[in-house]
Amino acid sequence: AQSVTQLGSHVSVSEGALVLLRCNYSSSVPPYLFWYVQYPNQGLQLLLKYTSAATLVKGINGFEAEFKKSETSFHLTKPSAHMSDAAEYFCAVSGLSGGYNKLIFGAGTRLAVHP
Amino acid sequence: SQTIHQWPATLVQPVGSPLSLECTVEGTSNPNLYWYRQAAGRGLQLLFYSVGIGQISSEVPQNLSASRPQDRQFILSSKKLLLSDSGFYLCASQTTTGRDTQYFGPGTRLTVL
């Protein structure tokens, strides 16, 4: 079975500061991992995904995430926060179940960026 | 790439009224389709998924049902809405290639009064 834990339901950073959103996963099979972003009253947009290729994955909007098998982590980072990064971020793990792709989501982390 | 349409965008309904939310997909054929609900202050809950026309699986017993009358059309319904059905409903699509990415629609905000 797969599960995802996002540490910190709310994270606040200053504009220009490092963004670090934490995600730990549990998976009985080699995981596929995803980060999605959700702006208010909108659907989820894929930021990046890990599919067992390079462990450092670069995504859109300057975000990247590193897969660390030994730590079962897939933390999301961005070197310099922008006001437009304020949103909710979801980490998800994928595993085949009954022949279909089931995404298990974390509870989400709301990122606030202040001037 | 896939484009997912959902309507209506917002809906306010009284308790006990019926519900029909529609999702259509462009840019792919024979996708896996999913309905999620996002309640206030909570994460995403998978409600239904479908791997083909007429094939529906339910993840959580509830007041809702789903149907897939066409390959790229997915409908979420209820005969009688409850207050607890309020939330943000998201449709997602995934090409049937193993553990591919799920792409999400813009969502429907449902308020039951």
Side-chain angles (χ1 to χ4, degrees), chain A residues 20-104:
Chain A
L20 171 61
L21 304 182
R22 300 178 186 275
C23 173
N24 288 89
Y25 71 91
S26 171
S27 178
S28 56
V29 298
Y32 280 23
L33 294 158
F34 303 80
W35 275 102
Y36 286 87
V37 60
Q38 185 180 31
Y39 298 99
N41 292 310
Q42 294 186 26
L44 275 69
Q45 180 182 4
L46 180 69
L47 273 178
L48 49 82
K49 63 180 179 181
Y50 166 78
T51 58
S52 73
T55 57
L56 182 62
V57 182
K58 294 187 183 298
I60 62 171
N61 301 340
F63 284 93
E64 63 182 34
E66 186 172 7
F67 172 71
K68 292 187 176 180
K69 184 177 179 180
S70 61
E71 299 177 7
T72 61
S73 68
F74 190 57
H75 302 331
L76 182 71
T77 60
K78 182 174 180 177
S80 177
H82 192 272
M83 297 295 288
S84 60
D85 295 327
E88 188 151 24
Y89 293 80
F90 292 93
C91 181
V93 64
S94 169
L96 284 174
S97 174
Y100 78 103
N101 171 24
K102 184 173 182 176
L103 270 185
I104 308 298

Side-chain angles (χ1 to χ4, degrees), chain B:
Chain B
S1 63
Q2 301 179 45
T3 302
I4 297 97
H5 302 280
Q6 288 187 244
W7 64 88
T10 60
L11 192 59
V12 180
Q13 292 286 92
V15 169
S17 63
L19 173 73
S20 181
L21 303 181
E22 189 164 347
C23 169
T24 58
V25 181
E26 294 178 358
T28 187
S29 296
N30 194 30
N32 288 344
L33 296 175
Y34 305 81
W35 278 113
Y36 291 87
R37 177 169 60 200
Q38 196 174 20
R42 302 176 68 177
L44 287 98
Q45 179 186 33
L46 178 62
L47 302 176
F48 301 94
Y49 67 92
S50 171
V51 299
I53 295 173
Q55 299 179 63
I56 308 295
S57 296
S58 173
E59 283 288 303
V60 181
Q62 59 213 317
N63 185 43
L64 302 169
S65 62
S67 61
R68 186 169 176 176
Q70 300 180 43
D71 180 44
R72 290 173 289 177
Q73 183 186 29
F74 204 23
I75 296 172
L76 184 70
S77 303
S78 174
K79 292 182 178 178
K80 289 185 177 181
L81 283 169
L82 307 172
L83 286 173
S84 58
D85 292 323
S86 293
F88 193 51
Y89 288 82
L90 290 160
C91 178
S93 171
Q94 180 230 351
T95 55
T96 52
T97 53
R99 295 190 287 172
D100 202 355
T101 303
Q102 287 188 21
Y103 294 94
F104 286 80
T108 295
R109 172 75 59 192
L110 172 66
T111 303
V112 183
L113 302 175

Side-chain angles (χ1 to χ4, degrees), chain A residues 13-18 80-84 112-115:
Chain A
V13 300
S14 300
E15 191 175 18
L18 171 71
S80 177
H82 192 272
M83 297 295 288
S84 60
V113 182
H114 50 86

